[in-house]
Amino acid sequence: MIKIGVLVSGRGTNLQAIIDACENNYIPGKVVCVISNIENAYALERAKRHNIPNFVIPHKNYKQREDFEKELIKKFDEKKSDLICLAGFMRILTPYFVNYYKYKIMNIHPALLPAFKSLYGEKVHQAVIESGVKFSGCTVHFVTEEVDSGPIILQRIVPVEDDDTYKTLAEKVLKEEHIAYPMAIRLFAEGRLRIEGKRVRILS
Ligand code: GRF
């Protein structure tokens, strides 16, 4: 059973997918700590509903990014987190945090990396539509110092249809996110991810 810490800033549908996957034993693990940098993030309500320890640590209260991150680490370590999942967390982490939990931090991005990196929210889907690509999707990857550039664990794709808007595309991608994130966490929990340079090999 792995212990999972989750960082959120918003509505938390990915957090919900992770919690549900743990509760129905798809992931051999447990969410032990949810931290939001935003006070009234709906994700916190989801944690409360499932009796998961949850905390607000407002980044604004800290002058130095590292001081903010030290507080995150304190809470995650208190709860003995083995894996940190970024689920709609709207802050960039410094090398201090990333290296403290080296290859133990995952993120989900709502496009097929390495394309459309460093874009957030509806901007990603808008950029995808404008670019004319025929497929989009989501990417679960390990977090490294460079934003949206760590080793890719898995991707799921959706077709971009002629009549898609950024809203319809976002909905389609989100459905796949809720499958992909639990899948990646399960593989991690089962010890089946081997990082070889930029590649992640999935052991059978
Ligand atoms: C998702 O689209 C995710 O890919 C991105 O932020 C969004 C978070 O949504 N990183 P939610 O808070 O999990 O509903």
Side-chain angles (χ1 to χ4, degrees), residues 9-15 43 46 86-90 107-110 120-121 125 138 173-174 177-178:
S9 302
R11 63 190 170 173
T13 65
N14 278 287
L15 167 67
R46 298 178 190 273
L86 312 188
F89 180 61
M90 298 302 284
N107 181 41
I108 187 154
H109 185 75
Y120 303 99
H125 304 293
C138 60
V173 170
L174 193 63
E177 292 185 37
H178 297 159

Short mmCIF file of all heavy atoms in Angstrom, two decimals, residues 9-15 43 46 86-90 107-110 120-121 125 138 173-174 177-178, ligand 1:
data_model
loop_
_atom_site.label_atom_id
_atom_site.label_comp_id
_atom_site.label_asym_id
_atom_site.label_seq_id
_atom_site.Cartn_x
_atom_site.Cartn_y
_atom_site.Cartn_z
N SER A 9 -5.15 22.94 -6.62
CA SER A 9 -5.47 24.37 -6.54
C SER A 9 -6.93 24.65 -6.90
O SER A 9 -7.40 25.76 -6.75
CB SER A 9 -4.60 25.18 -7.52
OG SER A 9 -3.22 25.01 -7.29
N GLY A 10 -7.62 23.64 -7.42
CA GLY A 10 -8.94 23.94 -7.99
C GLY A 10 -10.01 22.93 -7.68
O GLY A 10 -10.14 22.45 -6.55
N ARG A 11 -10.75 22.55 -8.73
CA ARG A 11 -11.97 21.75 -8.53
C ARG A 11 -11.69 20.31 -8.12
O ARG A 11 -12.51 19.64 -7.51
CB ARG A 11 -12.82 21.79 -9.80
CG ARG A 11 -12.08 21.16 -10.95
CD ARG A 11 -12.69 21.34 -12.30
NE ARG A 11 -11.66 20.84 -13.22
CZ ARG A 11 -11.81 20.69 -14.49
NH1 ARG A 11 -12.94 21.03 -15.07
NH2 ARG A 11 -10.83 20.22 -15.23
N GLY A 12 -10.54 19.76 -8.52
CA GLY A 12 -10.14 18.45 -8.00
C GLY A 12 -10.81 17.22 -8.58
O GLY A 12 -10.96 16.21 -7.89
N THR A 13 -11.16 17.26 -9.87
CA THR A 13 -11.77 16.03 -10.42
C THR A 13 -10.72 14.91 -10.55
O THR A 13 -11.06 13.74 -10.40
CB THR A 13 -12.45 16.26 -11.79
OG1 THR A 13 -11.47 16.62 -12.76
CG2 THR A 13 -13.52 17.34 -11.71
N ASN A 14 -9.49 15.26 -10.81
CA ASN A 14 -8.45 14.22 -10.84
C ASN A 14 -8.19 13.66 -9.45
O ASN A 14 -8.00 12.45 -9.29
CB ASN A 14 -7.16 14.75 -11.46
CG ASN A 14 -7.22 14.73 -12.98
OD1 ASN A 14 -7.14 13.67 -13.60
ND2 ASN A 14 -7.40 15.90 -13.58
N LEU A 15 -8.20 14.53 -8.45
CA LEU A 15 -8.09 14.06 -7.07
C LEU A 15 -9.19 13.04 -6.79
O LEU A 15 -8.94 11.98 -6.23
CB LEU A 15 -8.21 15.24 -6.09
CG LEU A 15 -8.41 14.86 -4.62
CD1 LEU A 15 -7.16 14.18 -4.06
CD2 LEU A 15 -8.78 16.07 -3.78
N ALA A 43 -11.52 21.12 -4.35
CA ALA A 43 -10.81 19.86 -4.09
C ALA A 43 -10.75 19.55 -2.59
O ALA A 43 -10.80 18.38 -2.18
CB ALA A 43 -9.40 19.93 -4.67
N ARG A 46 -13.70 17.68 -1.40
CA ARG A 46 -13.64 16.26 -1.77
C ARG A 46 -12.83 15.49 -0.74
O ARG A 46 -13.20 14.39 -0.33
CB ARG A 46 -13.02 16.12 -3.16
CG ARG A 46 -13.82 16.79 -4.26
CD ARG A 46 -13.10 16.64 -5.58
NE ARG A 46 -13.66 17.43 -6.65
CZ ARG A 46 -14.65 17.05 -7.45
NH1 ARG A 46 -15.19 15.86 -7.30
NH2 ARG A 46 -15.09 17.85 -8.40
N LEU A 86 0.55 15.86 -8.54
CA LEU A 86 0.05 17.21 -8.82
C LEU A 86 -1.25 17.03 -9.61
O LEU A 86 -1.25 16.39 -10.66
CB LEU A 86 1.06 18.01 -9.65
CG LEU A 86 2.52 18.00 -9.20
CD1 LEU A 86 3.32 19.00 -10.04
CD2 LEU A 86 2.64 18.33 -7.73
N ALA A 87 -2.32 17.57 -9.06
CA ALA A 87 -3.62 17.40 -9.72
C ALA A 87 -4.29 18.78 -9.84
O ALA A 87 -5.05 19.19 -8.98
CB ALA A 87 -4.48 16.44 -8.91
N GLY A 88 -3.90 19.47 -10.91
CA GLY A 88 -4.43 20.82 -11.10
C GLY A 88 -3.78 21.80 -10.14
O GLY A 88 -4.42 22.75 -9.68
N PHE A 89 -2.53 21.57 -9.83
CA PHE A 89 -1.78 22.46 -8.92
C PHE A 89 -1.12 23.55 -9.75
O PHE A 89 -0.33 23.25 -10.66
CB PHE A 89 -0.73 21.64 -8.17
CG PHE A 89 0.10 22.44 -7.20
CD1 PHE A 89 -0.51 23.09 -6.13
CD2 PHE A 89 1.47 22.53 -7.35
CE1 PHE A 89 0.26 23.82 -5.23
CE2 PHE A 89 2.24 23.25 -6.45
CZ PHE A 89 1.63 23.90 -5.39
N MET A 90 -1.49 24.80 -9.45
CA MET A 90 -1.11 25.90 -10.33
C MET A 90 0.14 26.66 -9.89
O MET A 90 0.20 27.89 -10.02
CB MET A 90 -2.29 26.87 -10.46
CG MET A 90 -3.53 26.26 -11.08
SD MET A 90 -3.23 25.58 -12.72
CE MET A 90 -3.18 27.11 -13.65
N ASN A 107 2.72 14.40 -12.53
CA ASN A 107 1.81 15.46 -12.95
C ASN A 107 0.98 14.94 -14.11
O ASN A 107 1.40 14.03 -14.83
CB ASN A 107 2.61 16.69 -13.41
CG ASN A 107 1.71 17.83 -13.84
OD1 ASN A 107 0.68 18.11 -13.20
ND2 ASN A 107 2.05 18.48 -14.94
N ILE A 108 -0.20 15.53 -14.27
CA ILE A 108 -0.99 15.23 -15.47
C ILE A 108 -1.17 16.51 -16.26
O ILE A 108 -1.45 17.57 -15.70
CB ILE A 108 -2.34 14.56 -15.12
CG1 ILE A 108 -3.04 14.10 -16.40
CG2 ILE A 108 -3.25 15.48 -14.29
CD1 ILE A 108 -3.98 12.94 -16.22
N HIS A 109 -0.96 16.38 -17.56
CA HIS A 109 -1.05 17.55 -18.45
C HIS A 109 -2.12 17.24 -19.50
O HIS A 109 -2.14 16.15 -20.06
CB HIS A 109 0.31 17.78 -19.12
CG HIS A 109 0.36 19.01 -19.96
ND1 HIS A 109 0.43 20.27 -19.40
CD2 HIS A 109 0.31 19.19 -21.30
CE1 HIS A 109 0.43 21.17 -20.38
NE2 HIS A 109 0.37 20.54 -21.54
N PRO A 110 -3.00 18.22 -19.79
CA PRO A 110 -4.12 17.92 -20.68
C PRO A 110 -3.81 18.05 -22.17
O PRO A 110 -4.59 18.60 -22.94
CB PRO A 110 -5.18 18.93 -20.25
CG PRO A 110 -4.40 20.09 -19.78
CD PRO A 110 -3.11 19.57 -19.22
N TYR A 120 -1.85 26.32 -19.71
CA TYR A 120 -2.75 25.85 -18.66
C TYR A 120 -4.20 26.10 -19.04
O TYR A 120 -4.51 26.96 -19.85
CB TYR A 120 -2.44 26.57 -17.33
CG TYR A 120 -1.00 26.35 -16.93
CD1 TYR A 120 -0.04 27.33 -17.18
CD2 TYR A 120 -0.62 25.14 -16.37
CE1 TYR A 120 1.28 27.11 -16.85
CE2 TYR A 120 0.70 24.92 -16.04
CZ TYR A 120 1.65 25.90 -16.28
OH TYR A 120 2.95 25.67 -15.97
N GLY A 121 -5.08 25.34 -18.41
CA GLY A 121 -6.52 25.56 -18.54
C GLY A 121 -6.97 25.52 -19.98
O GLY A 121 -6.47 24.74 -20.78
N HIS A 125 -6.24 23.77 -24.75
CA HIS A 125 -7.17 23.22 -25.73
C HIS A 125 -7.37 24.19 -26.90
O HIS A 125 -7.54 23.77 -28.04
CB HIS A 125 -8.49 22.86 -25.04
CG HIS A 125 -8.29 21.91 -23.90
ND1 HIS A 125 -7.86 20.62 -24.10
CD2 HIS A 125 -8.38 22.08 -22.57
CE1 HIS A 125 -7.72 20.02 -22.91
NE2 HIS A 125 -8.03 20.89 -21.97
N CYS A 138 -4.02 13.29 -23.07
CA CYS A 138 -3.40 13.71 -21.82
C CYS A 138 -2.12 12.91 -21.60
O CYS A 138 -1.93 11.85 -22.19
CB CYS A 138 -4.36 13.51 -20.66
SG CYS A 138 -4.87 11.81 -20.42
N VAL A 173 -10.96 15.23 -23.08
CA VAL A 173 -9.62 14.96 -22.53
C VAL A 173 -9.73 14.63 -21.04
O VAL A 173 -9.08 13.69 -20.55
CB VAL A 173 -8.66 16.15 -22.77
CG1 VAL A 173 -7.36 15.97 -21.98
CG2 VAL A 173 -8.36 16.30 -24.26
N LEU A 174 -10.58 15.37 -20.33
CA LEU A 174 -10.71 15.16 -18.88
C LEU A 174 -11.15 13.73 -18.56
O LEU A 174 -10.66 13.12 -17.61
CB LEU A 174 -11.70 16.18 -18.28
CG LEU A 174 -11.71 16.28 -16.75
CD1 LEU A 174 -10.36 16.76 -16.21
CD2 LEU A 174 -12.81 17.21 -16.27
N GLU A 177 -8.20 11.71 -18.69
CA GLU A 177 -7.32 11.99 -17.54
C GLU A 177 -7.71 11.12 -16.34
O GLU A 177 -6.85 10.60 -15.63
CB GLU A 177 -7.43 13.47 -17.12
CG GLU A 177 -6.87 14.43 -18.14
CD GLU A 177 -6.89 15.88 -17.64
OE1 GLU A 177 -6.67 16.11 -16.44
OE2 GLU A 177 -7.14 16.78 -18.47
N HIS A 178 -9.03 10.99 -16.16
CA HIS A 178 -9.52 10.25 -14.99
C HIS A 178 -9.24 8.75 -15.11
O HIS A 178 -9.33 8.02 -14.12
CB HIS A 178 -11.02 10.51 -14.80
CG HIS A 178 -11.32 11.94 -14.51
ND1 HIS A 178 -12.54 12.52 -14.71
CD2 HIS A 178 -10.51 12.94 -14.06
CE1 HIS A 178 -12.49 13.80 -14.38
NE2 HIS A 178 -11.26 14.08 -14.00
C1 GRF B 1 -6.58 19.06 -15.53
O1 GRF B 1 -6.99 19.36 -16.82
C2 GRF B 1 -5.13 18.67 -15.52
O2 GRF B 1 -4.71 18.05 -16.69
C3 GRF B 1 -4.42 19.99 -15.36
O3 GRF B 1 -5.26 20.75 -14.51
C4 GRF B 1 -6.60 20.28 -14.63
C5 GRF B 1 -7.06 19.96 -13.25
O4 GRF B 1 -8.42 19.60 -13.18
N1 GRF B 1 -3.09 19.81 -14.85
P1 GRF B 1 -9.02 19.03 -11.84
O5 GRF B 1 -8.79 20.06 -10.75
O6 GRF B 1 -8.34 17.74 -11.53
O7 GRF B 1 -10.49 18.84 -12.10
#
